[in-house]
Amino acid sequence: MMEYDVPTQADNAILTFDVVNVRAAFPILHQQVHGKPLAYLDSAATSQKPTCVIEAIDDYYRRYNSNVHRGVHKLAEEATHEYEQARVKIARFIGSPSHTQIVYTRGTTESINLVASAWGDANVGEGDEVLVTHMEHHSNIVPWQMLCKRTGATLVVAPIDKTGTLVMDAFERQLTERTKVVAVAHVSNALGTINPIERIIELAHGVGAVVVVDGAQAVPHMQVNVEALDADFYAFSGHKMCGPTGIGVLYGKADRLEAMGPYQGGGDMIKSVTFKHTEYNDVPYRFEAGTPNIVGGIGLGVAVDYLTGVGMDKIAAYEHELLEYGTAALQQIDGLRLIGTADRKAGVLSFVLDGIHPYDMAPILDRQGVAVRTGHHCAQPVMDFFGVPATARASLAFYNTRAEIDQLFVALKKAKEMLA
Ligand code: 7TS
């Protein structure tokens, strides 16, 4: 293993974390790509899935595939039970006081759109402001822009500095009695910045604003407690936390959800329907029109059990040390510029190399078995701020190793030789 200037006393989590055992649970990691061992460093895009999740999906389709909340037969009862039990597990995992505050969605994107529509349309009007930050993913910008367009409200953007840190003084000044919503990422996908979300929520509540937290990159990497944070709404995706694609969550405070009208109309979200009048269902079903992603919910419940078993605090500590190791490694490459150097960061290493376009770099890394993402990471305002068209991004998970970071390091040297 290569050695970089990593403080040895910081290696405790790496030494005590049984990554070999963890990796054994992920069949996809044990393969070669272009004749090289796969180094999957793209978990911010989507995480890999452990065998228990894969088997739960298989088991559902083989043994008890059935629709939920309607059939009174054995299979339907088991499907409903497992799907609803998963909701209970997810509630516990994020510290939600009740499972009724867990709305199943397709993912973070749909969760945010749900709030922007169902809550936003009823509560935001002309002269109001929606405050986002400069580091948001497009899915925490565009739904608010669309809401502003519908209602005549104004989108206000809180600035970041050169390290990719939110400028808190400016944010505080931008908060006024006009601010109806503050929509902010807990962790930035393009920069890795961990925002001071508790303080942000406290300040926003000080002016009576509702806070919508995009937790897509936080829930997979740290222990999150939505009640302790006092978030009004908190959105995240199953596929980034070892669960299946097409399932996600919107957590909401009970009174906020109760006061909200439906998002989409259809089956399951009603109590009774006549051509004159429809009585809507209770929370959370009011927001879950149509046959849901049943196996997705069940799979996410299993993923949550798995993550709990590994331990979110252990995951956070291990990933932090991997990040420090990776940062030290990349800083030793001449002409490499890290994009996103905030003091508090999650496992994201975004970078550009002098004179080399990320799109030219990616295929060379791929030939070395290294999977990273290149592009704007659905955060074009971040790219504009740093004056780059795109970055390469290595994003870490608890199943990654220092050897994989070494592999990235060697592949980058090779890319430099070939392209510079
Ligand atoms: N918010 C953040 C912070 C994200 O990182 C993503 C996805 C989303 C929202 C949207 O999540 P979805 O599951 O609804 O698509 N981020 C990324 C990424 O960084 N690379 O690919 C997808």
Side-chain angles (χ1 to χ4, degrees):
M1 184 176 287
M2 243 172 281
E3 283 305 326
Y4 308 102
D5 301 330
V6 179
T8 46
Q9 70 272 21
D11 284 358
N12 289 337
I14 283 189
L15 293 177
T16 55
F17 191 76
D18 190 355
V19 72
V20 173
N21 193 26
V22 163
R23 286 176 71 81
F26 291 83
I28 204 168
L29 298 178
H30 309 280
Q31 64 173 301
Q32 299 213 327
V33 171
H34 306 301
K36 299 278 162 53
L38 168 67
Y40 184 78
L41 300 173
D42 196 19
S43 292
T46 198
S47 72
Q48 296 303 348
K49 322 300 174 201
T51 304
C52 55
V53 170
I54 298 167
E55 285 178 349
I57 294 168
D58 185 79
D59 184 44
Y60 167 78
Y61 281 124
R62 282 180 194 278
R63 212 170 48 74
Y64 64 101
N65 173 47
S66 193
N67 214 326
V68 289
H69 304 147
R70 48 202 92 189
V72 185
H73 57 75
K74 176 81 173 61
L75 268 52
E77 277 172 6
E78 184 166 357
T80 303
H81 177 76
E82 291 299 321
Y83 181 69
E84 289 304 327
Q85 270 307 109
R87 199 192 299 267
V88 174
K89 290 178 193 173
I90 295 161
R92 210 177 294 139
F93 185 67
I94 60 159
S96 168
S98 165
H99 65 278
T100 60
Q101 290 165 257
I102 301 298
V103 181
Y104 279 129
T105 64
R106 281 195 299 122
T108 308
T109 302
E110 187 174 51
S111 297
I112 295 169
N113 276 280
L114 197 167
V115 183
S117 293
W119 183 87
D121 282 339
N123 292 285
V124 176
E126 208 169 331
D128 290 340
E129 291 179 356
V130 177
L131 179 55
V132 298
T133 82
H134 205 115
M135 73 176 87
E136 299 309 312
H137 186 280
H138 296 164
S139 65
N140 205 24
I141 300 173
V142 184
W144 302 115
Q145 234 167 16
M146 291 162 69
L147 172 68
C148 289
K149 214 167 174 185
R150 288 197 299 275
T151 60
T154 305
L155 191 73
V156 180
V157 184
I160 54 177
D161 67 17
K162 281 187 187 129
T163 68
T165 305
L166 184 63
V167 182
M168 285 302 285
D169 290 354
F171 173 78
E172 253 190 275
R173 279 197 302 277
Q174 286 167 315
L175 276 176
T176 70
E177 71 286 354
R178 288 189 301 279
T179 315
K180 280 286 163 341
V181 191
V182 172
V184 59
H186 194 163
V187 174
S188 153
N189 70 314
L191 300 166
T193 309
I194 303 176
N195 278 316
I197 201 72
E198 281 179 54
R199 180 79 184 130
I200 288 170
I201 292 171
E202 197 185 333
L203 289 169
H205 285 167
V207 298
V210 161
V211 184
V212 183
V213 182
D214 172 351
Q217 300 293 349
V219 177
H221 304 289
M222 61 185 73
Q223 187 76 62
V224 170
N225 186 307
V226 289
E227 197 182 24
L229 289 178
D230 203 25
D232 296 282
F233 296 100
Y234 196 102
F236 55 100
S237 298
H239 71 98
K240 295 188 198 286
M241 50 190 286
C242 298
T245 49
I247 188 80
V249 169
L250 175 69
Y251 157 85
K253 278 188 180 167
D255 54 345
R256 298 261 177 237
L257 292 174
E258 289 295 345
M260 267 160 67
Y263 173 47
Q264 295 177 327
D268 234 22
M269 52 74 74
I270 56 90
K271 276 186 175 158
S272 67
V273 178
T274 67
F275 285 114
K276 281 219 172 88
H277 177 72
T278 291
E279 199 186 334
Y280 302 129
N281 207 341
D282 294 331
V283 168
Y285 309 106
R286 187 186 303 164
F287 308 109
E288 298 178 352
T291 298
N293 183 351
I294 302 162
V295 73
I298 294 169
L300 182 54
V302 175
V304 156
D305 280 345
Y306 172 77
L307 289 172
T308 305
V310 178
M312 290 312 297
D313 288 341
K314 284 188 189 154
I315 287 173
Y318 176 75
E319 289 181 3
H320 181 71
E321 287 176 18
L322 268 189
L323 173 70
E324 290 197 334
Y325 185 84
T327 305
L330 293 192
Q331 278 169 345
Q332 293 185 17
I333 295 179
D334 282 343
L336 185 143
R337 175 182 167 212
L338 275 173
I339 305 288
T341 50
D343 285 341
R344 291 189 65 222
K345 270 187 72 177
V348 171
L349 292 157
S350 259
F351 57 91
V352 289
L353 270 175
D354 267 355
I356 300 177
H357 197 285
Y359 290 133
D360 297 329
M361 190 180 357
I364 299 174
L365 299 185
D366 177 51
R367 299 299 298 181
Q368 303 300 310
V370 177
V372 298
R373 183 175 172 189
T374 49
H376 52 59
H377 315 294
C378 302
Q380 281 183 349
V382 171
M383 302 298 121
D384 292 345
F385 178 80
F386 285 95
V388 294
T391 72
R393 181 191 66 184
S395 55
L396 307 171
F398 60 100
Y399 43 71
N400 288 126
T401 63
R402 289 194 281 191
E404 289 175 311
I405 290 168
D406 295 343
Q407 198 177 330
L408 168 68
F409 180 84
V410 171
L412 281 171
K413 289 253 177 178
K414 182 146 195 153
K416 270 193 68 171
E417 269 167 38
M418 290 173 71
L419 296 171

